[in-house]
Amino acid sequence: MFQVPAKTQYAIRALAHLARSGGDSAARISSAQNISVKYLEGILNQLKLSGIVVSDRGRGGGYRLSRPASEILMIDIVAAMEGDLRPVECVDDSTVCSMEAFCMPRRFWLGLKDSVEGYLKSVNLGDLAEEPLVTFCGTGQKKEHDNV
Amino acid sequence: MFQVPAKTQYAIRALAHLARSGGDSAARISSAQNISVKYLEGILNQLKLSGIVVSDRGRGGGYRLSRPASEILMIDIVAAMEGDLRPVECVDDSTVCSMEAFCMPRRFWLGLKDSVEGYLKSVNLGDLAEEPLVTFCGTGQKKEHDNV
DNA sequence: CCATATTCCTACTATTCCCATAGGAATTTA
DNA sequence: TAAATTCCTATGGGAATAGTAGGAATATGG
């Protein structure tokens, strides 16, 4: 389990960029962060639907955070990109299995979920964005893009 | 991130079965746990290569745990099936990125990794196997198999 | 010694998910 | 009205996942 998808990593970098710049267009985020423009557009749109960013269309438009970076928890970002954390189906759908309460595997997975959620709630975007260095590190990118 | 693959869930169920039965053949584990026989064979072989189970070939053979269930940590099982935990590339390969020490995203992912590893080290197979009910729950299985 | 039960090995396939790419429509502003 | 921008939909290649299939190698019990 548990490779973080490129999409989520891009989202975090794009949001850190917005936190530091105060707002920017997809094209400029793309070239600053070395992420394919078209792919990034979809990511930003997804973040918008989740209420994490707001956008202005047309010339001079772009994206901004919808609230202070310190109020955006890392778990909000992960949830926006990937939906709720669910290591196995039955953790949030008890109808999958009739044994709910007494099922030890389920309790085990539930504990794992709690552990991860706890961590992701303990860090916010401001923590990441205030650092002097927010690099390309940790993207899983294999090659350079043209960002055209 | 972080759906647990069926393979890992099967491995855990198979091992819990072995812990409770004291040893069994792939065919019997398969029918008891409702896992496709041929697929299970591959899983058990992988667990053998990692030293978690031992096997006896030929008639009357089968698989057994290589050590007491209480000495098999859940992280051993996960590592056997999926390799080391690595949410993003750079967490264990600092050459991916030149910023290592000061890269905030990297520190963030590293913290997540520690959190998950800590949990997986805190639970052992005995904890799961000693429970009265170890069911099919949490497999992501969509349909029944024939287990022929 | 031989039928049978078992692990072990290799190759194949179907499906799903991931990571984009592509083209253009809609919108806003200078 | 041209340019910059978001927004929408469709397509495709590659990798991983989940499983199938067939049979070789090995050991045991009768």
Side-chain angles (χ1 to χ4, degrees):
Chain A
M1 79 199 113
F2 167 66
Q3 270 264 80
V4 178
K7 203 173 191 177
T8 303
Q9 300 179 48
Y10 293 157
I12 291 172
R13 293 214 327 254
L15 289 170
H17 177 99
L18 287 180
R20 293 152 68 82
S21 65
D24 219 340
S25 71
R28 273 191 300 271
I29 300 172
S30 160
S31 75
Q33 289 291 320
N34 195 38
I35 302 169
S36 152
V37 148
K38 283 296 199 178
Y39 196 39
L40 181 60
E41 283 181 3
I43 290 169
L44 287 165
N45 198 256
Q46 213 170 328
L47 291 169
K48 184 195 170 180
L49 293 174
S50 300
I52 293 175
V53 302
V54 292
S55 62
D56 299 302
R57 294 178 78 163
R59 187 167 185 163
Y63 298 88
R64 292 170 283 122
L65 299 183
S66 67
R67 53 187 191 273
S70 63
E71 290 173 21
I72 298 173
L73 305 183
M74 297 312 285
I75 198 171
D76 299 331
I77 303 174
V78 170
M81 303 313 295
E82 307 173 39
D84 286 328
L85 250 43
R86 186 191 312 178
V88 298
E89 270 190 51
C90 69
V91 295
D92 64 7
D93 178 7
S94 59
T95 64
V96 171
C97 167
S98 55
M99 300 303 178
E100 319 148 30
F102 305 113
C103 176
M104 185 60 194
R106 180 168 188 258
R107 274 197 279 162
F108 168 67
W109 296 123
L110 223 35
L112 180 59
K113 179 185 166 173
D114 286 346
S115 169
V116 172
E117 282 187 347
Y119 179 75
L120 292 179
K121 284 176 182 166
S122 75
V123 183
N124 66 59
L125 183 60
D127 297 330
L128 264 83
E130 75 195 2
E131 283 284 320
L133 292 172
V134 175
T135 69
F136 299 155
C137 176
T139 53
Q141 278 174 328
K142 300 301 180 201
K143 56 172 182 132
E144 300 292 304
H145 301 288
D146 286 343
N147 306 321
V148 178
Chain B
M1 81 198 110
F2 161 70
Q3 270 264 84
V4 178
K7 203 173 192 177
T8 304
Q9 299 181 48
Y10 293 157
I12 291 172
R13 295 217 324 257
L15 289 170
H17 177 100
L18 287 180
R20 294 151 69 80
S21 65
D24 218 339
S25 71
R28 274 191 299 272
I29 299 171
S30 160
S31 74
Q33 289 291 320
N34 193 37
I35 302 168
S36 151
V37 146
K38 283 296 198 177
Y39 197 38
L40 181 60
E41 284 181 1
I43 290 168
L44 287 165
N45 199 256
Q46 213 170 327
L47 291 169
K48 184 194 169 180
L49 293 174
S50 300
I52 293 175
V53 303
V54 292
S55 62
D56 299 301
R57 294 178 78 163
R59 185 167 186 161
Y63 297 88
R64 293 169 283 122
L65 299 183
S66 67
R67 53 188 191 272
S70 62
E71 291 172 20
I72 298 173
L73 305 182
M74 296 313 285
I75 199 172
D76 299 332
I77 302 174
V78 170
M81 302 313 295
E82 306 174 39
D84 287 327
L85 250 41
R86 186 190 314 177
V88 297
E89 269 190 49
C90 67
V91 296
D92 63 8
D93 178 7
S94 58
T95 64
V96 171
C97 168
S98 56
M99 300 303 178
E100 319 148 29
F102 305 113
C103 178
M104 185 61 194
R106 181 169 189 257
R107 275 197 280 162
F108 169 67
W109 297 123
L110 223 37
L112 180 58
K113 178 184 168 175
D114 285 347
S115 171
V116 173
E117 281 187 347
Y119 179 74
L120 293 179
K121 283 176 181 166
S122 75
V123 183
N124 66 58
L125 182 61
D127 297 330
L128 264 83
E130 76 195 2
E131 283 284 318
L133 291 171
V134 176
T135 70
F136 298 157
C137 177
T139 53
Q141 277 175 329
K142 301 300 180 201
K143 57 169 183 134
E144 300 291 304
H145 300 287
D146 286 344
N147 307 320
V148 178

